[in-house]
Amino acid sequence: WDLQGYYGGTTSKLWLKSEGEAALGEGVEDAEVQALWSKAVAPYWDLHVAVPQDLAGEADTHAVVGIQGLAPYLFEIDAALFLSQRGDLTARIEAELDQRITQRLILQPRLELSLAAQDNAARKVGARIDKVAAGLRLRYEIVPEFAPYVGIEQGWKLGGSARYARLAGEDPGVTSLVMGVRFWF
């Protein structure tokens, strides 16, 4: 799941975000909840500051600084730097681009990159590039505020993270079918 919502005006907002992963018939592998204060710093760009909580696996609290906005050529970018209470430094960068096929049918390529400054054996995270995920989502806007989608995503654990996955008997590359609804009000 990937949920986002905000309350506030055009220059200052409170964002609520939650993100997680689970396989069918298995428990939650990864879950995170964030409450972020957001301040507009430039046209189309917001600075985010938060103290999110990881809920699955090793429960960690982080300090977060990030930026979210619309880059040239309409790329939506969400980048964040995380510092845990144990001193682990990680980063996540997400990018997506809406490609209109028709007025209602939209193809959305997505790319996510996770990085870590150091190895963390407890969380099975290797230093440098930890994970890469690339995917495509096909969305149909029944109305602009309500749009179901279906897609496919390929994820790879790299370097030390791939080694940790293999030692645990897991495949470092995973293909996922994603389905959901994008809505706003």
Side-chain angles (χ1 to χ4, degrees), residues 86-150:
R86 290 190 295 243
D88 296 328
L89 183 64
T90 58
R92 183 171 51 227
I93 303 165
E94 299 175 24
E96 56 192 46
L97 175 66
D98 286 353
Q99 296 290 309
R100 288 203 177 268
I101 297 169
T102 68
Q103 287 295 322
R104 294 181 182 233
L105 196 59
I106 296 124
L107 184 66
Q108 183 186 68
R110 302 170 48 90
L111 182 66
E112 182 175 339
L113 181 66
S114 297
L115 304 123
Q118 63 276 334
D119 284 331
N120 183 336
R123 297 194 63 172
K124 299 178 184 171
V125 172
R128 293 179 286 286
I129 299 176
D130 168 35
K131 292 186 284 189
V132 175
L136 283 173
R137 293 182 181 180
L138 185 63
R139 182 171 78 237
Y140 183 77
E141 289 186 346
I142 296 168
V143 292
E145 297 85 2
F146 186 82
Y149 65 84
V150 64

Side-chain angles (χ1 to χ4, degrees), residues 4-7 13-17 34-38 46 48 68:
Q4 293 187 29
Y6 69 85
Y7 177 78
K13 300 176 180 111
L14 173 66
W15 280 87
L16 298 174
K17 295 182 179 184
Q34 298 180 26
L36 303 109
W37 174 76
S38 173
D46 290 343
H48 294 253
Q68 181 175 2

